[in-house]
C-alpha cells in the first residue's frame, strides 16, 4: 500500500468516517497510539465541536484524550470525506446501523453510503475497515461495491474489524481491547492493521483472523449472549419471587462457576441502549432470512422477557400506589440506560418514566448526566436538577439507573423530603436493610399478578 504523501516506511495515516460515539472514541484512541488521524462527519456542528476538543456526549476520559491530540497536528476533524480520505491510507467506517423503521432489520444505508464515498474519494491504494455492526453478508457486498466504485488504477480492499466498546469504558476498551477480530478474504494484506494495533497486540491482546461473515457475526453474537444472560436471570427472578428464593444469592452461586461468570446476572429492569436491543433484533431477523429458525425464536424470547421487565416495574409502582398513579408524585432517579453515559436510546428507565406520566403521574426525573438527552427525547416529562428536587414530596421514589450517586444516598435525609417513604429499587442496587432501618418501604419487582415483595438485604447488589 502506498500513499502520495508518505514514504514506504512511514506509519499508515488514518481516516475515521463517522464521528459519533464509536468514531470519536476510535479517532482519539488511534491518535493516542501515535497515528495521524482525520475524522470526517457530515454534521458540521459535530465536526466543529470535536475540532475544539469538545465531546458532544458523555464518556469518561474521552474529553481529555481528544483535547490532548487536537492541540497537536495528530488529530483533526473535517466535514469533507474527500479531504479525510486523501490524507489517509486506512479508512475506518464507524457510522451507525440503527433498526429500520417498521422492521427488525438493520438500516445499512449509512454504512453503504460511507463505504462508497470513501472508495470514490480514494486517490491512492488503501484499505477500508468496517467497524459498524452489520448483518452477515454485508461486508462481502460492500467490498464488491467499493472495488467497483474506486477510481481506475486505485486498489482497494475491505476487511471487517468489529468494535466491542462498553459505554462508560470506551477509551479503556479501545486502547486495551480484550480481543481484536480481523475478518477478510483469503490473501488480503492485513499489514497496515497489524501495524496500527501493534501496541495492544504487543501487550498480549489476542488476535483472531477469520473470514468476513465470522467477523460480522462475532459482535452481534456477543451482544446476543449478554442479552440472553440478563433475560435468563430476570426469568429466574420471577421464579424466585414466587418460590420464596433469593435471586441475588442464587446469582452469586451461579457466578462462582467459571463457565457461567457473575457479570450480567443481576436481576432488574433489564437492558437497553443503542446496541443490545437493536442487535438482537437484527440478528433474529437475519437468522430468519437464513432459515436458522431456532436462533430467531430464542432471540425473540430474550427480547420479550427483557421488554416485560419494564411492565413489571410499572405494575409494581401501580400496586404500591394503591392501584393508580393518577396525580401521584413519582420521583424517578435515572434516565440513561446505564450509568457512566448520557445515552437514553431505548432506555428502560426513561420508558418507565414516560409510561407513568401517561397514566397521570406527576413524574420528576433526575439523572447526573442524561438530563439534556432525555429532555430532547421526552420534552413533556419534568426534569429536576438534583436528587432532592426529584424526590421532594414524592409518593414513591424509583431507582431506575444504578449511578453511584444513587446507591450512596442517605435514606434518612431523603425520608424527611418525601410524602411517603416508599422506594422501588428496580436495579437491586440499594442496601435494603439500611433503607428499611431509616423508615422506608423497599420494594423489588413483583411477579405478574402478585403483590410487590419487599427486597431482602441480600438483594442489595450493584449490577453491571
Amino acid at each position: 500500500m502506498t500513499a502520495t504523501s508518505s514514504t514506504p516506511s512511514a506509519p499508515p495515516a488514518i481516516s475515521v468516517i463517522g464521528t459519533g460515539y464509536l468514531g470519536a472514541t476510535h479517532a482519539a484512541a488511534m491518535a493516542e497510539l501515535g497515528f495521524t488521524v482525520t475524522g470526517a462527519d457530515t454534521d458540521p456542528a459535530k465536526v466543529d465541536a470535536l475540532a475544539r476538543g469538545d465531546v458532544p456526549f458523555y464518556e469518561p476520559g474521552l474529553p481529555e484524550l481528544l483535547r490532548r491530540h487536537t492541540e497537536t497536528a495528530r488529530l483533526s476533524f473535517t466535514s469533507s470525506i474527500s479531504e479525510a480520505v486523501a490524507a489517509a491510507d486506512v479508512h475506518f467506517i464507524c457510522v451507525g446501523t440503527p433498526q429500520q423503521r417498521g422492521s427488525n432489520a438493520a438500516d445499512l444505508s449509512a454504512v453503504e453510503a460511507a463505504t462508497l464515498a470513501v472508495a470514490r474519494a480514494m486517490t491512492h491504494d488503501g484499505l477500508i475497515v468496517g467497524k459498524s455492526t452489520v448483518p452477515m453478508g454485508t461486508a462481502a457486498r460492500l467490498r464488491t461495491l467499493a472495488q467497483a466504485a474506486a477510481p481506475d488504477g486505485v486498489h482497494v480492499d475491505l476487511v471487517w474489524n468489529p468494535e466491542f466498546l462498553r459505554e462508560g469504558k470506551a477509551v479503556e476498551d479501545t486502547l486495551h481491547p480484550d480481543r481484536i477480530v480481523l475478518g477478510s478474504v483469503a490473501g488480503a494484506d492485513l499489514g497496515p492493521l497489524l501495524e496500527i494495533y501493534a501496541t495492544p497486540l504487543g501487550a498480549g491482546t489476542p488476535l483472531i483472523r477469520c473470514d468476513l461473515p465470522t467477523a460480522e457475526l462475532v459482535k452481534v453474537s456477543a451482544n446476543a449472549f449478554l442479552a440472553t444472560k440478563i433475560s435468563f436471570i430476570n426469568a429466574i427472578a420471577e421464579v424466585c419471587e414466587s418460590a420464596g428464593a433469593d435471586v441475588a444469592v442464587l446469582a452469586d452461586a451461579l457466578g462462582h462457576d467459571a463457565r457461567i461468570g457473575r457479570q450480567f446476572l443481576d436481576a432488574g429492569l433489564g437492558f437497553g441502549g443503542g446496541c443490545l436491543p437493536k442487535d438482537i433484533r437484527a440478528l433474529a431477523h437475519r437468522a430468519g432470512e437464513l432459515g436458522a429458525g431456532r436462533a430467531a425464536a430464542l432471540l425473540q424470547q430474550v427480547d420479550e422477557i427483557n421488554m416485560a421487565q419494564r411492565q413489571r416495574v410499572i405494575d409494581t409502582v401501580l400496586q404500591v400506589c394503591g392501584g393508580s398513579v393518577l396525580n401521584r408524585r413519582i420521583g424517578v432517579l435515572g434516565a440513561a440506560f446505564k450509568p457512566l453515559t448520557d445515552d437514553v436510546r431505548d432506555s428502560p428507565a426513561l420508558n418507565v418514566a414516560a409510561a407513568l406520566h401517561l397514566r397521570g403521574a406527576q413524574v420528576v426525573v433526575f439523572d447526573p448526566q442524561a438530563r439534556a438527552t432525555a429532555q430532547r427525547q421526552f420534552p413533556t416529562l419534568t426534569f429536576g436538577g438534583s436528587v432532592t428536587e426529584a424526590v421532594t414530596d414524592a409518593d414513591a421514589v424509583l431507582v431506575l439507573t444504578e449511578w453511584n450517586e444513587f446507591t450512596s444516598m442517605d435514606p434518612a435525609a431523603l425520608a424527611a423530603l418525601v410524602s411517603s417513604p416508599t422506594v422501588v429499587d428496580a436495579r437491586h442496587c440499594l442496601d435494603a436493610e439500611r433503607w428499611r432501618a431509616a423508615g422506608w418501604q423497599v420494594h423489588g419487582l413483583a411477579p405478574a399478578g402478585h403483590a410487590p415483595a419487599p427486597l431482602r438485604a441480600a438483594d442489595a447488589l450493584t449490577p453491571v
Side-chain angles (χ1 to χ4, degrees):
M1 180 182 305
T2 60
T4 57
S5 59
S6 63
T7 65
S9 60
I14 294 171
S15 75
V16 175
I17 311 303
T19 58
Y21 177 83
L22 167 62
T25 304
H26 191 70
M30 294 302 99
E32 178 74 3
L33 292 178
F35 298 93
T36 300
V37 183
T38 306
D41 201 286
T42 56
D43 183 348
K46 186 188 300 181
V47 168
D48 290 343
L50 292 169
R52 294 192 305 270
D54 296 332
V55 180
F57 50 88
Y58 179 72
E59 179 59 40
L62 183 57
E64 296 82 1
L65 201 65
L66 186 71
R67 288 167 192 153
R68 179 158 68 244
H69 295 297
T70 52
E71 289 174 356
T72 70
R74 186 175 289 175
L75 176 61
S76 61
F77 295 92
T78 178
S79 57
S80 170
I81 290 182
S82 296
E83 178 183 324
V85 170
D89 310 296
V90 178
H91 315 281
F92 287 94
I93 305 297
C94 297
V95 299
T97 53
Q99 189 173 324
Q100 286 185 18
R101 290 182 177 274
S103 170
N104 284 338
D107 182 350
L108 302 177
S109 57
V111 72
E112 181 173 322
T115 302
L116 288 173
V118 168
R120 290 166 180 156
M122 291 176 67
T123 58
H124 54 274
D125 295 353
L127 182 65
I128 298 176
V129 184
K131 293 198 73 67
S132 304
T133 303
V134 296
M136 301 80 76
T138 303
R141 181 172 62 85
L142 292 178
R143 181 174 182 268
T144 299
L145 292 174
Q147 291 178 335
D152 291 341
V154 173
H155 174 74
V156 58
D157 205 349
L158 180 145
V159 304
W160 218 258
N161 170 218
E163 56 86 12
F164 301 100
L165 305 188
R166 295 168 295 173
E167 294 191 36
K169 299 180 180 179
V171 172
E172 176 70 15
D173 287 345
T174 306
L175 294 175
H176 307 284
D178 53 18
R179 77 280 208 194
I180 294 172
V181 177
L182 302 179
S184 65
V185 299
D189 179 13
L190 301 180
L193 278 175
L194 297 179
E195 184 174 356
I196 288 171
Y197 290 128
T199 297
L201 290 174
T205 297
L207 172 65
I208 297 93
R209 301 190 194 197
C210 57
D211 53 45
L212 291 171
T214 302
E216 293 167 323
L217 192 53
V218 168
K219 171 60 187 298
V220 290
S221 296
N223 279 352
F225 185 77
L226 296 177
T228 300
K229 286 187 73 173
I230 296 170
S231 286
F232 169 82
I233 199 63
N234 278 330
I236 293 299
E238 189 166 2
V239 177
C240 288
E241 291 287 353
S242 298
D246 192 319
V247 68
V249 174
L250 173 66
D252 285 342
L254 292 175
H256 284 295
D257 188 327
R259 299 169 300 174
I260 297 173
R262 183 61 178 82
Q263 288 189 314
F264 287 80
L265 277 182
D266 292 287
L269 181 50
F271 59 81
C275 292
L276 263 64
K278 65 100 175 173
D279 284 355
I280 64 170
R281 292 165 190 162
L283 178 55
H285 180 86
R286 184 62 175 142
E289 290 180 333
L290 296 172
R294 286 181 293 182
L298 171 64
L299 294 172
Q300 181 175 345
Q301 188 66 29
V302 168
D303 197 7
E304 289 176 354
I305 291 171
N306 184 63
M307 296 304 294
Q309 292 302 104
R310 306 179 187 193
Q311 187 59 49
R312 287 185 65 196
V313 176
I314 295 166
D315 291 344
T316 300
V317 178
L318 289 170
Q319 290 169 14
V320 300
C321 287
S324 173
V325 293
L326 182 65
N327 294 324
R328 294 293 191 97
R329 185 177 173 92
I330 307 295
V332 170
L333 301 182
F337 83 94
K338 59 177 272 188
L340 297 179
T341 183
D342 63 353
D343 193 346
V344 298
R345 290 176 294 174
D346 203 0
S347 167
L350 205 53
N351 182 263
V352 168
L356 293 172
H357 170 74
L358 290 175
R359 285 167 170 78
Q362 299 171 7
V363 178
V364 182
V365 182
F366 170 70
D367 190 285
Q369 292 294 335
R371 177 175 180 173
T373 52
Q375 205 158 17
R376 285 195 295 270
Q377 186 163 331
F378 285 94
T380 57
L381 287 176
T382 299
F383 292 88
S386 65
V387 170
T388 297
E389 191 174 344
V391 306
T392 296
D393 296 329
D395 295 295
V397 174
L398 280 56
V399 180
L400 303 184
T401 308
E402 60 276 29
W403 286 94
N404 287 338
E405 182 170 341
F406 302 154
T407 61
S408 61
M409 294 182 299
D410 181 355
L414 293 184
L417 301 175
V418 298
S419 175
S420 172
T422 301
V423 62
V424 176
D425 180 9
R427 292 296 184 182
H428 287 188
C429 61
L430 302 180
D431 183 339
E433 289 304 315
R434 179 169 172 255
W435 281 70
R436 192 174 292 112
W440 288 79
Q441 294 183 16
V442 183
H443 298 273
L445 305 190
H450 292 71
L455 286 177
R456 294 170 293 278
D459 289 325
L461 295 174
T462 303
V464 176

